[in-house]
Amino acid sequence: MKIALVTSPNQWFYKEALEFAKKLGADFFDSYEKVRGYELVFILSYHRIIPPNLLTHNKHNLVIHASKLPQGKGWSPMFHQILEGKNTIEFSLFEASAGVDSGDIYLQNWLDVIYKQSGDESCQWLKPSEHLSYQMPQEPFSINEQDFKKVVLDFMLFENGIDKKEFEKAMLESLLYDSKIELKDSEILVRFDKDKEVDTRKKPSQKSLFDKEEE
């Protein structure tokens, strides 16, 4: 039996179509105009409408369409079904005719849509309606005591009209220059007198860091 397989060039299925043709023992074409005298011609992912007079050059011209015909006629039926959130994709095997996706139907079957693959966290199945690229896994939200203290302090600074950067600078300078620094083995010890009062009063020509802006 003479078998041929036709696929459009420069599209995603081309390499797979070549391998499939080898397994079938079929002749491979990228243009239907070159196909003559075959008993079976599989037309897979072919992006041109074939004139009816050319179809007569071969006995059977079989098309596989990714929808349950007559529903889903036209381009990219599989992607439309995935975007619609369907769990199964219907396929139809039919005879090519003058109309678009309208020949005699020989077989209809379905295929489960796989949403995720277990055992491999690096593999990520995407929903085109949400993302079109790999999404970095997000760590679960958590907050510790240090985070809580930081939020409270930031709010107190904001509420009192204190610039956070200036406050951090003043605290750092006070810690470094009003403290005792010792080098012990491989450690640096910073000692600060807890009973020492820090003068926050402003000098005559200097505005205190802790003063609010006057409205």
Side-chain angles (χ1 to χ4, degrees):
M1 178 182 291
K2 291 186 64 178
I3 303 174
L5 192 149
V6 184
T7 299
S8 292
N10 302 322
Q11 52 88 37
W12 70 273
F13 189 69
Y14 195 83
K15 290 183 179 179
E16 286 76 7
L18 276 171
E19 293 297 322
F20 186 46
K22 291 179 182 179
K23 291 180 180 180
L24 287 178
D27 295 327
F28 183 81
F29 298 90
D30 59 14
S31 175
Y32 189 89
E33 285 79 358
K34 305 172 185 177
V35 184
R36 295 287 189 278
Y38 286 88
E39 294 179 70
L40 286 179
V41 180
F42 287 97
I43 306 170
L44 305 178
S45 195
Y46 192 64
H47 299 160
R48 297 176 62 185
I49 297 176
I50 303 171
N53 63 304
L54 292 182
L55 293 174
T56 60
H57 294 159
N58 301 285
K59 186 174 182 180
H60 290 288
N61 300 280
L62 303 179
V63 180
I64 297 179
H65 187 76
S67 77
K68 189 176 182 180
L69 295 172
Q71 289 82 29
K73 292 184 178 182
W75 304 107
S76 305
M78 180 169 61
F79 298 107
H80 287 300
Q81 292 184 75
I82 293 175
L83 289 173
E84 291 169 2
K86 292 188 177 180
N87 295 324
T88 59
I89 301 297
E90 302 281 353
F91 288 89
S92 300
L93 176 68
F94 68 96
E95 185 79 31
S97 64
V100 176
D101 301 330
S102 58
D104 294 333
I105 298 172
Y106 297 128
L107 177 68
Q108 288 185 321
N109 211 331
W110 53 268
L111 180 69
D112 283 327
V113 176
I114 301 174
Y115 284 105
K116 62 182 179 180
Q117 177 175 325
S118 60
D120 185 3
E121 296 182 356
S122 66
C123 180
Q124 187 179 94
W125 292 93
L126 305 178
K127 293 182 180 180
S129 58
E130 297 178 1
H131 305 290
L132 295 177
S133 61
Y134 180 81
Q135 302 298 302
M136 293 298 295
Q138 295 184 356
E139 296 183 1
F141 174 78
S142 63
I143 185 169
N144 54 37
E145 184 178 356
Q146 185 178 4
D147 294 328
F148 179 75
K149 290 180 178 179
K150 183 177 183 299
V151 171
V152 173
L153 180 58
D154 287 349
F155 176 74
M156 292 176 63
L157 293 175
F158 172 77
E159 190 177 42
N160 288 276
I162 300 172
D163 183 272
K164 180 181 176 182
K165 290 183 178 180
E166 290 295 327
F167 177 79
E168 291 176 345
K169 181 180 178 181
M171 288 296 295
L172 180 61
E173 289 179 352
S174 177
L175 181 63
L176 290 176
Y177 305 128
D178 294 334
S179 62
K180 297 178 180 179
I181 302 176
E182 300 177 9
L183 180 61
K184 185 177 181 181
D185 297 329
S186 60
E187 297 180 343
I188 297 178
L189 302 179
V190 180
R191 301 182 185 278
F192 192 78
D193 187 357
K194 66 178 181 179
D195 296 325
K196 182 178 180 180
E197 295 183 359
V198 178
D199 186 8
T200 58
R201 294 174 299 174
K202 63 182 180 180
K203 297 177 182 179
S205 60
Q206 182 182 19
K207 184 178 179 181
S208 172
L209 176 67
F210 299 97
D211 285 349
K212 293 184 181 180
E213 294 284 346
E214 293 185 1
E215 297 181 357

